[in-house]
Amino acid sequence: MEPNTTSIASGLEKVKARIEAVAKRTGRQPEAITLLAASKTNPPEALREAFAAGQTIFGENYLQEALVKIEALADLPIEWHFIGPIQSNKTRRIAENFAWVHSIDRKKIADRLSKDRPDSLPPLQVCLQVNVSGEDSKSGVAPEEIADLAAHVVTLPRLKLRGVMAIPELTKATALQRSQFRMVREAYDQLRQADYEVDTISMGMSEDLDVAIEEGATMVRVGTAIFGPRRYPIPEELAALAAKNAEPAR
Ligand SMILES: *Cc1c(COP(=O)(O)O)cnc(C)c1O
């Protein structure tokens, strides 16, 4: 299926207008808020269209799916961010293929990413994922454990700690939504107070990016509002390519 070019470009414009509007009414510079296009389930051509419309930062959740797109779009200077849960047997290819990882939530994964990061690349830019919804099923470190994780991450030579990331539980109760974003902000403030040189609060998605920016987000991760509804199941060609990619090297 061909992506709808006009709608991707106009989706991007609309999201940027939202970012600008919130920045304006909260007295922040729109440039201080980075837009990451969360592109999971979208085919490479959709990302190419977004790139043509000016988007250079893309976030992916699933390694195999991401590798297909990274290869297909190798001709474009895209900055790739890994934003999904990390299994320890995937760290090498994540460390080799991404500029940023947002979803560090335990020391073991941080250790492996640092060890696996090639010397030929700059340090991997990382955020610590904070669990602010308190659900056991959600990944992320508890807010009271973030200082300990940060103290460990800054000792790792091939990682550069940039800040915090969270995926608050989506709720129509705006007060609850806001209080979760505030907890992320507080986790970030803790790191600042401990003198870590962090500058990134990665939070806010299509539904809630406005509140997230009001509460201090410096990077919003937006999928649906740019690309339209997710294409579940993943388009067949992409799944086939991913399977091919997963074959062991001979
Ligand atoms: C899918 C996803 C997003 C974007 O969600 P939308 O609601 O489509 O904007 C952001 N962050 C993460 C971690 C995601 O998995």
Side-chain angles (χ1 to χ4, degrees):
M1 193 169 44
E2 288 299 309
N4 186 335
T5 321
T6 348
S7 71
I8 289 175
S10 76
L12 262 175
E13 284 317 307
K14 283 184 195 140
V15 169
K16 285 185 200 161
R18 276 169 73 186
I19 293 172
E20 257 168 56
V22 192
K24 202 168 206 175
R25 71 167 187 264
T26 54
R28 299 178 59 193
Q29 298 294 326
E31 305 80 57
I33 299 136
T34 302
L35 172 59
L36 174 155
S39 41
K40 61 174 175 279
T41 82
N42 289 283
E45 309 84 70
L47 281 68
R48 196 176 280 282
E49 295 298 346
F51 185 90
Q55 182 62 30
T56 57
I57 302 179
F58 292 84
E60 287 282 337
N61 295 63
Y62 309 104
L63 179 63
Q64 294 304 337
E65 184 192 339
L67 291 175
V68 170
K69 296 180 207 177
I70 291 172
E71 196 182 330
L73 301 171
D75 58 315
L76 304 179
I78 287 175
E79 184 176 281
W80 293 101
H81 291 221
F82 193 82
I83 61 175
I86 307 173
Q87 296 160 279
S88 52
N89 63 345
K90 302 275 165 65
T91 53
R92 185 176 60 81
R93 301 191 86 186
I94 292 173
E96 287 171 353
N97 286 284
F98 289 82
W100 282 64
V101 171
H102 290 226
S103 39
I104 293 202
D105 64 356
R106 53 199 196 277
K107 292 177 186 173
K108 180 184 166 196
I109 292 295
D111 289 344
R112 293 185 64 113
L113 286 169
S114 181
K115 185 169 70 58
D116 290 341
R117 181 68 166 176
D119 282 333
S120 57
L121 297 175
L124 191 59
Q125 311 295 303
V126 302
C127 290
L128 309 182
Q129 183 172 351
V130 201
N131 180 348
V132 288
S133 57
E135 295 169 60
D136 285 346
S137 61
K138 286 267 173 77
S139 10
V141 63
E144 57 275 17
E145 287 162 14
I146 194 144
D148 186 47
L149 182 56
H152 182 74
V153 166
V154 295
T155 66
L156 299 172
R158 305 295 296 142
L159 302 188
K160 170 81 180 97
L161 179 64
R162 296 296 296 267
V164 295
M165 176 273 215
I167 313 173
E169 179 187 3
L170 194 59
T171 161
K172 292 272 175 243
T174 38
L176 177 60
Q177 197 74 42
R178 198 175 285 284
S179 75
Q180 294 185 78
F181 286 133
R182 217 159 267 178
M183 284 169 73
V184 186
R185 170 63 188 264
E186 283 162 10
Y188 173 81
D189 289 342
Q190 260 190 64
L191 299 183
R192 291 284 289 214
Q193 277 152 21
D195 275 342
Y196 296 119
E197 288 171 10
V198 286
D199 59 6
T200 303
I201 304 178
S202 164
M203 63 183 184
M205 320 203 291
S206 295
E207 292 284 324
D208 57 13
L209 70 92
D210 318 79
V211 187
I213 295 169
E214 285 174 7
E215 296 300 331
T218 68
M219 196 179 289
V220 291
R221 309 177 309 266
V222 182
T224 317
I226 297 173
F227 297 105
R230 282 195 261 290
R231 302 162 182 235
Y232 290 124
I234 293 168
E236 268 172 29
E237 356 58 298
L238 201 57
L241 279 165
K244 191 164 153 253
N245 215 299
E247 275 172 22
R250 281 165 234 263

